[in-house]
Each structure stands twice: as structure tokens, then as C-alpha cells.
Amino acid sequence: MSDIAERLNSIKSTLPEGVELVAVSKFHPVAVLREAYNAGQRVFGESRVQELVDKIPEMPDDTRWHFIGHLQTNKLKYLIGNVSLIESVDSLRLLEMIDDLSFRKGVITRVLMQLHVAAEETKFGFTPAELIDWFATRGFESLKATHICGLMGMATNTDDDERISSDFRTVAETRKRIIEVAPDLRGFDILSMGMSDDYQAAIAEGSTHVRIGSAIFGQRVY
Ligand SMILES: *Cc1c(COP(=O)(O)O)cnc(C)c1O
């Protein structure tokens, strides 16, 4: 078995049933993704549009792609219709553009709203209060071709385990609050949280999707 297959299998064996593994393959060549594919992996996460678009035709048709990076609206047209989930919707303007373009192309785009809970100011996303308010005032009702499937969040980059857990807890609690203020929401089930160094803490707080890169593929060369 290849190293990648071995690491993939050993991570998968630790995931509880129902937790989906997104293999974050950004900055790694297609040959490496194929190794993971051959070991059974189907869902891959990428953070740059051009890189993702280049990889799509090189991988088997049943590969599912999640976009997980900050998305510039001028590049959106390359993603719509080509990805199974955009995990990183970090502004209402981006959401509206996704919806318009999806509608015009005749496709439904599945997305997650990205929450900003970490201490770092550089991380993108909505505050919990902003998002709860937007759902409470039923902003989602005007969407024509977008299905909001849940939330994505990143914890503070720190050795403080309590802070990490509390960041993930905030994401999970925000999802609950949103369901309280908009009880008719359907399919708002995904909590995408947890990366190589903190996915166990994320699962303990209710993560349904873990996004793991370096623990599978090794260090990235930027
Ligand atoms: C790169 C990245 C990951 C994976 O990080 P690792 O530490 O390599 O597991 C997960 N989520 C997002 C949003 C990323 O950009």
C-alpha cells in the first residue's frame, strides 16, 4: 500500500460513522490525488479556482470537488456547475452572485456559509450574530438556485485546546440557533470543521465533515 493510502485508511478508521472526509489536495499534483482516489477517496477539497479547474479533467468523473478557499467573484463562473459544494461563502454579495449565475446556468449550487470564530483577523467569514440575523430576517427566501447546506468554520490556530474546542462549539451552537430562528429550513445539516491538527476536537463538538490535507498528503510546497 502507498503511504497516502495508508494514512488515508488510518484516518478514516478513526472517523465515527457519518463523518465525511474531505481530502484537501491543494498544492499537490494530480498523481497524488489519484493515489487517494485509488484508495477509495472520492471527495477532494481545493482552495484555488485555477488549480481546481485544471485538475477536474485529469480525475475520474465520479470525483467530487469541494471549494474551500476565499472566492473572488470574477472567478465564480469557472466553478458553477463543476463543484459539488462551495464551503466558503463569506459574503452576501458572493452568495447573490452564486445564486444568479447558478440560476442562469440552470443548476442548483450547494453551499456552506463560512463563520468567523477564530481569533485571527485574517480569516474570512460571517460573525455568528450576522448570520443568525440574516436567517431570522429570512434572507435565504430570495435564493432561486442555491441550497445552503450548513456551516463551515475554522478554529483559532493555537495550542490552547480549550480555545479550539470553544471555537468549534460556537459554530455548532450557531447552527442550532439558526434552526431555531428559521425552523422551516431544510437540509441545513452540514458542519464542516476540523483540519489535520484539530479534527478530533471538531468531531467531539459535532463536526460532520472534516477537511484534512497535510495528515494525508504531507506538507504542502507553496
Ligand atoms: C488547507 C485547508 C485545510 C487543510 O489543512 P491541513 O492542516 O493541511 O489539514 C482545511 N480547510 C481549509 C479551509 C484549508 O484552506
PDB file of all heavy atoms in Angstrom, residues 16-35:
ATOM      1  N   PRO A  16     -15.911   8.635  13.201  1.00  0.00           N
ATOM      2  CA  PRO A  16     -17.183   7.989  13.520  1.00  0.00           C
ATOM      3  C   PRO A  16     -18.046   7.869  12.260  1.00  0.00           C
ATOM      4  O   PRO A  16     -17.875   8.635  11.313  1.00  0.00           O
ATOM      5  CB  PRO A  16     -17.846   8.944  14.517  1.00  0.00           C
ATOM      6  CG  PRO A  16     -16.828   9.945  14.903  1.00  0.00           C
ATOM      7  CD  PRO A  16     -15.747   9.932  13.870  1.00  0.00           C
ATOM      8  N   GLU A  17     -18.973   6.933  12.299  1.00  0.00           N
ATOM      9  CA  GLU A  17     -19.890   6.772  11.182  1.00  0.00           C
ATOM     10  C   GLU A  17     -20.631   8.088  10.921  1.00  0.00           C
ATOM     11  O   GLU A  17     -21.049   8.767  11.857  1.00  0.00           O
ATOM     12  CB  GLU A  17     -20.888   5.667  11.539  1.00  0.00           C
ATOM     13  CG  GLU A  17     -21.809   5.404  10.425  1.00  0.00           C
ATOM     14  CD  GLU A  17     -22.128   3.919  10.281  1.00  0.00           C
ATOM     15  OE1 GLU A  17     -21.501   3.091  10.972  1.00  0.00           O
ATOM     16  OE2 GLU A  17     -23.015   3.639   9.479  1.00  0.00           O
ATOM     17  N   GLY A  18     -20.764   8.429   9.652  1.00  0.00           N
ATOM     18  CA  GLY A  18     -21.495   9.653   9.314  1.00  0.00           C
ATOM     19  C   GLY A  18     -20.612  10.882   9.196  1.00  0.00           C
ATOM     20  O   GLY A  18     -21.083  11.924   8.751  1.00  0.00           O
ATOM     21  N   VAL A  19     -19.353  10.777   9.577  1.00  0.00           N
ATOM     22  CA  VAL A  19     -18.443  11.911   9.388  1.00  0.00           C
ATOM     23  C   VAL A  19     -17.713  11.723   8.056  1.00  0.00           C
ATOM     24  O   VAL A  19     -17.065  10.713   7.825  1.00  0.00           O
ATOM     25  CB  VAL A  19     -17.426  12.036  10.539  1.00  0.00           C
ATOM     26  CG1 VAL A  19     -16.398  13.138  10.238  1.00  0.00           C
ATOM     27  CG2 VAL A  19     -18.142  12.351  11.851  1.00  0.00           C
ATOM     28  N   GLU A  20     -17.881  12.701   7.185  1.00  0.00           N
ATOM     29  CA  GLU A  20     -17.304  12.610   5.843  1.00  0.00           C
ATOM     30  C   GLU A  20     -15.900  13.213   5.808  1.00  0.00           C
ATOM     31  O   GLU A  20     -15.660  14.273   6.389  1.00  0.00           O
ATOM     32  CB  GLU A  20     -18.220  13.353   4.863  1.00  0.00           C
ATOM     33  CG  GLU A  20     -17.664  13.495   3.467  1.00  0.00           C
ATOM     34  CD  GLU A  20     -18.595  12.965   2.390  1.00  0.00           C
ATOM     35  OE1 GLU A  20     -19.817  13.202   2.469  1.00  0.00           O
ATOM     36  OE2 GLU A  20     -18.087  12.312   1.461  1.00  0.00           O
ATOM     37  N   LEU A  21     -15.010  12.542   5.100  1.00  0.00           N
ATOM     38  CA  LEU A  21     -13.641  13.033   4.951  1.00  0.00           C
ATOM     39  C   LEU A  21     -13.484  13.780   3.623  1.00  0.00           C
ATOM     40  O   LEU A  21     -13.700  13.210   2.549  1.00  0.00           O
ATOM     41  CB  LEU A  21     -12.666  11.853   5.006  1.00  0.00           C
ATOM     42  CG  LEU A  21     -11.200  12.172   4.701  1.00  0.00           C
ATOM     43  CD1 LEU A  21     -10.630  13.199   5.682  1.00  0.00           C
ATOM     44  CD2 LEU A  21     -10.366  10.897   4.734  1.00  0.00           C
ATOM     45  N   VAL A  22     -13.123  15.048   3.713  1.00  0.00           N
ATOM     46  CA  VAL A  22     -12.765  15.830   2.538  1.00  0.00           C
ATOM     47  C   VAL A  22     -11.239  15.851   2.488  1.00  0.00           C
ATOM     48  O   VAL A  22     -10.593  16.402   3.389  1.00  0.00           O
ATOM     49  CB  VAL A  22     -13.326  17.262   2.633  1.00  0.00           C
ATOM     50  CG1 VAL A  22     -12.933  18.079   1.406  1.00  0.00           C
ATOM     51  CG2 VAL A  22     -14.838  17.250   2.826  1.00  0.00           C
ATOM     52  N   ALA A  23     -10.669  15.238   1.457  1.00  0.00           N
ATOM     53  CA  ALA A  23      -9.207  15.192   1.339  1.00  0.00           C
ATOM     54  C   ALA A  23      -8.737  16.487   0.687  1.00  0.00           C
ATOM     55  O   ALA A  23      -9.025  16.752  -0.483  1.00  0.00           O
ATOM     56  CB  ALA A  23      -8.784  13.989   0.502  1.00  0.00           C
ATOM     57  N   VAL A  24      -8.046  17.310   1.450  1.00  0.00           N
ATOM     58  CA  VAL A  24      -7.643  18.633   0.952  1.00  0.00           C
ATOM     59  C   VAL A  24      -6.340  18.496   0.166  1.00  0.00           C
ATOM     60  O   VAL A  24      -5.271  18.276   0.728  1.00  0.00           O
ATOM     61  CB  VAL A  24      -7.503  19.638   2.107  1.00  0.00           C
ATOM     62  CG1 VAL A  24      -6.973  20.971   1.589  1.00  0.00           C
ATOM     63  CG2 VAL A  24      -8.851  19.840   2.798  1.00  0.00           C
ATOM     64  N   SER A  25      -6.477  18.618  -1.154  1.00  0.00           N
ATOM     65  CA  SER A  25      -5.380  18.266  -2.063  1.00  0.00           C
ATOM     66  C   SER A  25      -4.727  19.482  -2.697  1.00  0.00           C
ATOM     67  O   SER A  25      -3.912  19.348  -3.620  1.00  0.00           O
ATOM     68  CB  SER A  25      -5.921  17.328  -3.139  1.00  0.00           C
ATOM     69  OG  SER A  25      -7.127  17.840  -3.697  1.00  0.00           O
ATOM     70  N   LYS A  26      -5.040  20.670  -2.202  1.00  0.00           N
ATOM     71  CA  LYS A  26      -4.457  21.896  -2.763  1.00  0.00           C
ATOM     72  C   LYS A  26      -2.930  21.813  -2.759  1.00  0.00           C
ATOM     73  O   LYS A  26      -2.347  21.288  -1.803  1.00  0.00           O
ATOM     74  CB  LYS A  26      -4.920  23.108  -1.951  1.00  0.00           C
ATOM     75  CG  LYS A  26      -4.486  23.061  -0.500  1.00  0.00           C
ATOM     76  CD  LYS A  26      -5.121  24.183   0.317  1.00  0.00           C
ATOM     77  CE  LYS A  26      -4.583  24.169   1.728  1.00  0.00           C
ATOM     78  NZ  LYS A  26      -5.367  24.986   2.653  1.00  0.00           N
ATOM     79  N   PHE A  27      -2.334  22.346  -3.827  1.00  0.00           N
ATOM     80  CA  PHE A  27      -0.877  22.386  -3.994  1.00  0.00           C
ATOM     81  C   PHE A  27      -0.238  21.014  -4.239  1.00  0.00           C
ATOM     82  O   PHE A  27       0.971  20.913  -4.339  1.00  0.00           O
ATOM     83  CB  PHE A  27      -0.177  23.076  -2.805  1.00  0.00           C
ATOM     84  CG  PHE A  27      -0.505  24.539  -2.673  1.00  0.00           C
ATOM     85  CD1 PHE A  27      -1.564  24.959  -1.892  1.00  0.00           C
ATOM     86  CD2 PHE A  27       0.234  25.487  -3.380  1.00  0.00           C
ATOM     87  CE1 PHE A  27      -1.882  26.317  -1.786  1.00  0.00           C
ATOM     88  CE2 PHE A  27      -0.081  26.845  -3.274  1.00  0.00           C
ATOM     89  CZ  PHE A  27      -1.135  27.258  -2.475  1.00  0.00           C
ATOM     90  N   HIS A  28      -1.047  19.965  -4.326  1.00  0.00           N
ATOM     91  CA  HIS A  28      -0.489  18.638  -4.635  1.00  0.00           C
ATOM     92  C   HIS A  28      -0.837  18.252  -6.073  1.00  0.00           C
ATOM     93  O   HIS A  28      -1.930  18.542  -6.544  1.00  0.00           O
ATOM     94  CB  HIS A  28      -1.037  17.593  -3.662  1.00  0.00           C
ATOM     95  CG  HIS A  28      -0.531  17.777  -2.263  1.00  0.00           C
ATOM     96  ND1 HIS A  28       0.770  17.488  -1.900  1.00  0.00           N
ATOM     97  CD2 HIS A  28      -1.126  18.256  -1.147  1.00  0.00           C
ATOM     98  CE1 HIS A  28       0.944  17.764  -0.615  1.00  0.00           C
ATOM     99  NE2 HIS A  28      -0.189  18.236  -0.129  1.00  0.00           N
ATOM    100  N   PRO A  29       0.085  17.578  -6.749  1.00  0.00           N
ATOM    101  CA  PRO A  29      -0.159  17.218  -8.150  1.00  0.00           C
ATOM    102  C   PRO A  29      -1.200  16.096  -8.281  1.00  0.00           C
ATOM    103  O   PRO A  29      -1.440  15.339  -7.342  1.00  0.00           O
ATOM    104  CB  PRO A  29       1.212  16.739  -8.636  1.00  0.00           C
ATOM    105  CG  PRO A  29       1.938  16.319  -7.408  1.00  0.00           C
ATOM    106  CD  PRO A  29       1.410  17.171  -6.288  1.00  0.00           C
ATOM    107  N   VAL A  30      -1.782  16.019  -9.477  1.00  0.00           N
ATOM    108  CA  VAL A  30      -2.856  15.061  -9.732  1.00  0.00           C
ATOM    109  C   VAL A  30      -2.431  13.616  -9.440  1.00  0.00           C
ATOM    110  O   VAL A  30      -3.249  12.810  -8.983  1.00  0.00           O
ATOM    111  CB  VAL A  30      -3.349  15.216 -11.186  1.00  0.00           C
ATOM    112  CG1 VAL A  30      -4.227  14.057 -11.600  1.00  0.00           C
ATOM    113  CG2 VAL A  30      -4.113  16.528 -11.343  1.00  0.00           C
ATOM    114  N   ALA A  31      -1.168  13.289  -9.668  1.00  0.00           N
ATOM    115  CA  ALA A  31      -0.710  11.912  -9.418  1.00  0.00           C
ATOM    116  C   ALA A  31      -0.983  11.503  -7.973  1.00  0.00           C
ATOM    117  O   ALA A  31      -1.337  10.356  -7.680  1.00  0.00           O
ATOM    118  CB  ALA A  31       0.786  11.799  -9.722  1.00  0.00           C
ATOM    119  N   VAL A  32      -0.834  12.468  -7.088  1.00  0.00           N
ATOM    120  CA  VAL A  32      -1.047  12.227  -5.671  1.00  0.00           C
ATOM    121  C   VAL A  32      -2.549  12.062  -5.368  1.00  0.00           C
ATOM    122  O   VAL A  32      -2.958  11.209  -4.582  1.00  0.00           O
ATOM    123  CB  VAL A  32      -0.414  13.417  -4.902  1.00  0.00           C
ATOM    124  CG1 VAL A  32      -0.920  13.503  -3.496  1.00  0.00           C
ATOM    125  CG2 VAL A  32       1.094  13.348  -4.943  1.00  0.00           C
ATOM    126  N   LEU A  33      -3.366  12.862  -6.041  1.00  0.00           N
ATOM    127  CA  LEU A  33      -4.817  12.722  -5.869  1.00  0.00           C
ATOM    128  C   LEU A  33      -5.278  11.351  -6.369  1.00  0.00           C
ATOM    129  O   LEU A  33      -6.154  10.723  -5.767  1.00  0.00           O
ATOM    130  CB  LEU A  33      -5.577  13.807  -6.638  1.00  0.00           C
ATOM    131  CG  LEU A  33      -5.689  15.194  -5.998  1.00  0.00           C
ATOM    132  CD1 LEU A  33      -4.361  15.914  -5.955  1.00  0.00           C
ATOM    133  CD2 LEU A  33      -6.720  16.042  -6.740  1.00  0.00           C
ATOM    134  N   ARG A  34      -4.664  10.904  -7.452  1.00  0.00           N
ATOM    135  CA  ARG A  34      -5.062   9.595  -8.000  1.00  0.00           C
ATOM    136  C   ARG A  34      -4.757   8.473  -7.021  1.00  0.00           C
ATOM    137  O   ARG A  34      -5.504   7.504  -6.922  1.00  0.00           O
ATOM    138  CB  ARG A  34      -4.336   9.325  -9.321  1.00  0.00           C
ATOM    139  CG  ARG A  34      -4.858  10.171 -10.449  1.00  0.00           C
ATOM    140  CD  ARG A  34      -4.865   9.399 -11.785  1.00  0.00           C
ATOM    141  NE  ARG A  34      -5.126  10.339 -12.871  1.00  0.00           N
ATOM    142  CZ  ARG A  34      -4.167  10.942 -13.569  1.00  0.00           C
ATOM    143  NH1 ARG A  34      -2.894  10.677 -13.346  1.00  0.00           N
ATOM    144  NH2 ARG A  34      -4.493  11.787 -14.511  1.00  0.00           N
ATOM    145  N   GLU A  35      -3.660   8.608  -6.306  1.00  0.00           N
ATOM    146  CA  GLU A  35      -3.353   7.593  -5.284  1.00  0.00           C
ATOM    147  C   GLU A  35      -4.460   7.524  -4.247  1.00  0.00           C
ATOM    148  O   GLU A  35      -4.871   6.447  -3.829  1.00  0.00           O
ATOM    149  CB  GLU A  35      -2.034   7.919  -4.577  1.00  0.00           C
ATOM    150  CG  GLU A  35      -0.817   7.431  -5.295  1.00  0.00           C
ATOM    151  CD  GLU A  35       0.434   7.602  -4.432  1.00  0.00           C
ATOM    152  OE1 GLU A  35       0.432   7.130  -3.274  1.00  0.00           O
ATOM    153  OE2 GLU A  35       1.397   8.226  -4.919  1.00  0.00           O
TER     154      GLU A  35
END
